[in-house]
């Protein structure tokens, strides 16, 4: 089976359409979306319409939960903007999405970890030194009991990567479709930077008898996406969309 994996679209319809076209050319059997679908500064409502129409196997990310449950004064700007743009139809669709999903036997999809949509799985953040690759022990502790699964699909960090635990599953984060770099101050100040503006996804394949993964980078009109972010007054997001870096 060939499974395309995408995550962290963040309302970037331009990047999403480019990825969906590339996935169609890949000839996969199934496409799985690991959440954080709309919150951003590009085309949130139009992205919701597209995702509803294509009907991908999809889990909710932390931003879906935040848009649906946080009071406005507690929301970050991306969630506030999205909440103002989307319709009740979009909200009902978001509310219907599960936190975890097993689209086929042996495969489990989630956003951060199976029990926490805000926790990084394949990265850790240390005070003073920022983000680093998580150790195998850290990854295993965050996963809990995932016996019976040979492929785990996640997102949240916006960075593509894979880890195969000894005697355990292959874990795949496809990177971000629509937001290639950001800075955060939780749990400590850190940057997550893909290093280029490409839209990203991955293709997992078990033709060899074990799950293996290939990562894809797709060109799209990121200059237009950046100009839309600038229209919301977010020059920092525009810089990230153009470069895959966080501005100095």
């Amino acid at each position: 089976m060939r499974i395309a994996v995408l995550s962290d679209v963040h309302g970037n319809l331009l990047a999403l359409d480019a990825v969906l076209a590339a996935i169609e050319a890949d000839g996969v059997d199934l496409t799985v979306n690991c959440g954080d679908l709309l919150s951003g500064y590009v085309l949130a409502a139009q992205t919701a319409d597209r995702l509803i129409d294509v009907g991908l196997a999809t889990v909710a990310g932390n931003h879906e939960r935040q848009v649906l449950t946080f009071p406005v004064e507690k929301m970050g700007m991306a969630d506030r903007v999205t909440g103002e743009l989307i319709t009740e139809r979009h909200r009902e669709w978001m509310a219907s999405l599960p936190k975890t999903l097993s689209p086929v036997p042996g495969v489990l999809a989630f956003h951060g970890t199976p029990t926490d949509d805000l926790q990084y799985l394949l990265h850790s953040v240390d005070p003073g030194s920022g983000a680093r690759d998580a150790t195998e022990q850290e990854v295993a502790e965050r996963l809990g009991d995932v016996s019976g699964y040979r492929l785990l699909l996640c997102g949240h960090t916006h960075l593509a990567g894979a880890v195969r635990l000894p005697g355990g599953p292959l874990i795949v984060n496809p990177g971000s479709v629509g937001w290639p770099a950001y800075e955060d101050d939780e749990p400590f100040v850190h940057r997550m930077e893909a290093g280029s503006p490409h839209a990203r996804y991955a293709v997992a394949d078990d033709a060899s008898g074990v799950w293996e993964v290939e990562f894809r980078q797709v060109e799209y009109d990121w200059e237009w996406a950046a100009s839309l972010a600038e229209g919301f007054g977010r020059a920092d997001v525009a810089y990230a969309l153009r470069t895959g870096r966080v501005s100095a």
Side-chain angles (χ1 to χ4, degrees):
M1 171 171 264
R2 285 168 60 79
I3 300 177
V5 191
L6 59 92
S7 189
D8 296 279
V9 176
H10 283 284
N12 192 337
L13 179 62
L14 314 175
L16 173 63
D17 280 345
V19 164
L20 291 177
I23 287 172
E24 184 175 2
D26 267 319
V28 302
D29 303 299
L30 173 69
T31 300
V32 178
N33 186 346
C34 292
D36 277 8
L37 309 169
L38 308 181
S39 292
Y41 305 97
V42 188
L43 296 167
Q46 296 91 329
T47 300
D49 289 336
R50 180 79 82 252
L51 287 171
I52 291 170
D53 288 345
V54 297
L56 306 179
T58 302
V59 297
N62 59 289
H63 282 280
E64 283 69 69
R65 174 177 54 80
Q66 290 160 194
V67 168
L68 292 175
T69 66
F70 279 16
V72 172
E73 62 272 16
K74 190 178 177 183
M75 288 184 184
M77 184 177 175
D79 290 338
R80 290 200 304 272
V81 167
T82 298
E84 293 170 357
L85 293 173
I86 61 175
T87 67
E88 188 60 31
R89 172 176 178 253
H90 300 149
R91 289 179 177 275
E92 291 174 357
W93 166 68
M94 291 164 62
S96 74
L97 300 174
K99 294 180 179 179
T100 64
L101 178 68
S102 180
V104 293
V107 177
L108 182 67
F110 45 88
H111 183 64
T113 70
T115 58
D116 189 343
D117 60 21
L118 280 175
Q119 186 174 43
Y120 291 171
L121 180 56
L122 301 185
H123 292 83
S124 296
V125 180
D126 298 324
S129 56
R132 60 169 172 81
D133 291 342
T135 66
E136 288 182 353
Q137 181 178 351
E138 288 172 329
V139 173
E141 289 174 352
R142 293 166 190 170
L143 284 174
D145 182 7
V146 289
S147 56
Y149 295 106
R150 305 306 299 170
L151 178 65
L152 304 180
L153 309 175
C154 66
H156 192 44
T157 67
H158 296 206
L159 298 185
V163 169
R164 193 185 306 275
L165 294 179
L170 175 67
I171 307 161
V172 174
N173 185 327
S176 175
V177 170
W179 198 334
Y182 67 89
E183 186 172 38
D184 199 356
D185 57 4
E186 294 291 341
F188 308 103
V189 174
H190 63 283
R191 293 181 171 189
M192 306 302 271
E193 298 177 305
S196 81
H198 296 79
R200 288 170 166 80
Y201 73 102
V203 176
D205 194 317
D206 66 350
S208 69
V210 297
W211 283 106
E212 299 176 346
V213 65
E214 295 180 354
F215 294 98
R216 308 277 201 259
Q217 298 184 21
V218 182
E219 292 187 0
Y220 75 101
D221 191 350
W222 48 71
E223 179 57 39
W224 186 26
S227 69
L228 293 173
E230 288 173 331
F232 287 101
R234 292 305 301 262
D236 57 331
V237 177
Y239 182 89
L241 290 168
R242 289 187 174 107
T243 66
R245 301 283 187 187
V246 175
S247 57

